[in-house]
Every structure is written in structure tokens, then in C-alpha cells.
């Protein structure tokens, strides 16, 4: 740990802000300060992805911005306390977004549910300067079920407005990128069929990072080119980050939850893609048409 230059720099910046820093692992630290209730967990995966793209001389400024923003946001939220058990107050603030199923939120149990293999959606409260993951003990005090809270969150994300859609042709594949000025872009992957991106058999979807959704319509055997293109784009985005989610390719079709089409993993010389039985059935059916 001591030889890690990023961790050494992070500890220095945290202590400059008047906090103590305890290294939990290479990707997690815990910061505390006298008079503050409980420790603040800081996850470093995104920070490592950010600095990896910049020369070493820029790291100090990046770390300083990262730590300063997190601490400032936390202190503002602590001063502006919400009555989290008042569901009538919290309901308009509920939102969701997608995360990898191995996402580590910290020691507290949070409200989440599976979306598809490799993906979960997490219930959050949209605060003026940050989003707060909803803890299970808070949700249990509400007079509604978790499913009803998620429905309210869906409604709120939709009311925030649609995403922007940019489409281009790549080797005959119509690739669409969905994005917007919101922290909840990835939530829209669940209802991506609302956008003009689908084909007769639905649409292939990737969510490599927070803030972006890539989609390609399923039209006959063109789906093979679409699949290959999305695999490359999703893997590149997932590896580069920041705020990585998944390199996998998913299949959306009407009135059906998201399905995994292909699980993407690194191999010795190339990517390994494991096609699911459901998607293989589709490919065989399309090949016969």
C-alpha cells in the first residue's frame, strides 16, 4: 500500500482537509474527523481511471478536486438534513440508476434489485448537490413496498425528461448513443424501447459507464455486425471509465425485462464473449428467415 503513489497523494490531500485517512484496500479508504458522525467511505476505482488517462504531474490537481468535491458535498448534505422517513417528502426525490452487480456501496445495506445478469438498479434520493443511496432501514419505515418506491423513482426519472439520441452508421450498423444532463441516464436502459432505436426483434443495449447508453436495432442477420460493434465499444468504455458499469451486451424487447445477450470477458489474445441460450435461439431463428 505504501508504495502506491495515488494512495500516498490521496492521504496527503485528505489530511490537508483536516480529516484522518485509514486505508482499507487499494480501492477503498475511510476518512474521519472529530465531531463527525461515523466514517466516510471513499471508493477509488473511478479516481484510478481518471488519473490513468493523465500524466503524473496532473495527478495532484485531479486528486485535490476529487477529494475536495466529495468532502464539500458531504458536509453540505449533513447541514441540510432531510427527514428521510417522511415518504411524502422523499417520494418526489426518488430516482434509480444502474450499477454493476458487484458494486460496493459501503457497510450499510441499501435498497436494490436485479435488472439482468451483471446489472442491478439502486434506489437513490436526488439531493441538490449529490445523490444518496437509500438504506434498507429507511425504506422499511415508509408506508409502501420497495416495488412501489421503484415505480415512483421510474416516474420521477421519466418526468425529468427524455435523453438526447445521436445516431450514426458504422459498417451498416445504426449505432445510437443516449445521453443527457442528468445523473440518471442509465435508468433509461430499462425502457430504451421508448426511443427510436429498436428493430423488429428489439434492440441490443450496452451501459459501459454512467452517463451513456449505446444501442443498435436488431434487424435480421445484421445483428451480428451490431453485436460485434457494441462489444468493442462497450469494452473500450468499460475499461477506460470512469464510473464503469458493464462491458456486457443486453437485449431489450417489448414487454420483457432486459436479457443478457453476451457476457464479455478478457481472454489471452482477444475478448471472450459467451452468448446466452436465449440470444442463440434468436440468432438461429434469424438465420432461417
Amino acid at each position: 500500500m505504501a508504495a502506491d503513489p495515488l494512495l500516498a497523494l490521496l492521504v496527503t490531500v485528505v489530511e490537508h482537509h483536516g480529516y484522518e485517512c485509514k486505508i482499507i484496500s487499494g480501492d477503498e479508504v475511510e476518512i474521519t474527523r472529530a465531531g463527525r458522525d461515523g466514517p466516510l467511505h471513499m471508493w477509488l476505482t473511478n479516481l484510478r481511471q481518471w488519473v490513468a488517462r493523465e500524466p503524473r504531474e496532473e495527478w495532484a490537481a485531479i486528486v485535490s478536486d476529487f477529494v475536495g468535491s466529495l468532502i464539500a458535498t458531504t458536509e453540505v448534505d449533513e447541514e441540510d438534513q432531510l427527514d428521510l422517513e417522511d415518504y411524502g417528502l422523499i417520494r418526489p426525490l426518488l430516482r434509480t440508476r444502474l450499477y454493476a452487480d458487484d458494486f460496493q456501496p459501503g457497510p450499510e445495506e441499501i435498497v436494490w434489485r436485479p435488472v439482468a445478469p451483471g446489472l442491478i438498479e439502486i434506489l437513490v434520493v436526488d439531493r441538490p448537490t449529490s445523490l444518496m443511496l437509500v438504506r434498507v432501514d429507511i425504506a422499511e419505515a415508509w408506508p409502501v413496498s420497495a416495488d412501489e418506491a421503484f415505480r415512483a423513482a421510474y416516474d420521477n426519472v421519466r418526468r425529468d425528461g427524455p435523453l438526447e439520441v445521436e445516431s450514426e452508421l458504422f459498417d451498416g450498423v445504426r449505432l445510437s448513443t443516449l445521453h443527457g444532463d442528468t445523473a440518471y441516464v442509465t435508468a433509461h436502459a430499462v425502457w430504451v424501447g421508448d426511443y427510436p432505436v429498436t428493430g423488429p426483434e428489439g434492440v441490443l443495449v450496452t451501459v459501459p459507464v454512467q452517463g451513456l447508453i449505446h444501442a443498435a436495432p436488431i434487424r435480421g442477420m445484421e445483428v451480428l455486425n451490431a453485436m460485434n460493434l457494441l462489444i468493442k465499444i462497450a469494452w473500450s468504455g468499460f475499461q477506460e471509465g470512469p464510473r464503469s458499469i458493464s462491458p456486457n451486451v443486453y437485449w431489450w424487447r417489448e414487454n420483457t425485462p432486459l436479457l443478457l445477450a453476451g457476457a464479455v470477458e478478457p481472454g489471452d489474445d482477444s475478448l471472450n464473449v459467451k452468448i446466452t441460450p436465449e440470444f442463440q435461439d434468436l440468432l438461429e431463428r434469424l438465420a432461417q428467415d
Side-chain angles (χ1 to χ4, degrees), residues 95-278:
R95 302 290 189 277
T96 68
R97 66 178 190 171
L98 302 188
Y99 290 83
D101 62 0
D102 60 356
F103 173 69
Q104 297 176 312
E108 297 172 328
E109 189 177 0
I110 60 171
V111 180
W112 65 274
R113 63 185 183 183
V115 173
L119 288 179
I120 62 173
E121 58 183 352
I122 294 179
L123 193 65
V124 305
V125 175
D126 184 46
R127 306 194 63 161
T129 59
S130 65
L131 60 85
M132 186 198 77
L133 308 184
V134 176
R135 301 197 315 267
V136 167
D137 63 306
I138 291 172
E140 287 177 344
W142 295 342
V144 299
S145 66
D147 285 344
E148 176 57 34
F150 272 106
R151 282 193 289 271
Y154 278 14
D155 290 342
N156 292 336
V157 173
R158 287 174 180 268
R159 271 195 287 268
D160 289 342
L163 301 177
E164 296 182 38
V165 181
E166 297 181 4
S167 299
E168 295 183 66
L169 282 176
F170 290 91
D171 297 328
V173 177
R174 183 172 177 268
L175 176 71
S176 296
T177 299
L178 287 67
H179 60 93
D181 187 19
T182 170
Y184 310 106
V185 167
T186 54
H188 292 251
V190 177
W191 55 83
V192 70
D194 288 0
Y195 293 89
V197 297
T198 63
E201 298 289 347
V203 57
L204 293 178
V205 182
T206 67
V207 281
V209 296
Q210 294 289 354
L212 287 176
I213 297 172
H214 299 296
I218 300 177
R219 300 184 186 278
M221 291 308 291
E222 292 177 7
V223 68
L224 295 178
N225 289 335
M227 185 75 169
N228 289 332
L229 177 62
L230 286 175
I231 288 168
K232 294 176 183 177
I233 292 174
W235 181 255
S236 176
F238 175 76
Q239 285 294 99
E240 183 176 351
R243 301 178 298 161
S244 298
I245 300 179
S246 173
N248 297 336
V249 180
Y250 295 89
W251 175 19
W252 181 96
R253 53 183 176 171
E254 193 170 3
N255 299 321
T256 303
L258 275 181
L259 297 172
L260 179 64
V264 182
E265 297 179 347
D268 293 335
D269 300 314
S270 61
L271 296 177
N272 292 328
V273 182
K274 184 177 181 180
I275 300 299
T276 60
E278 296 87 353

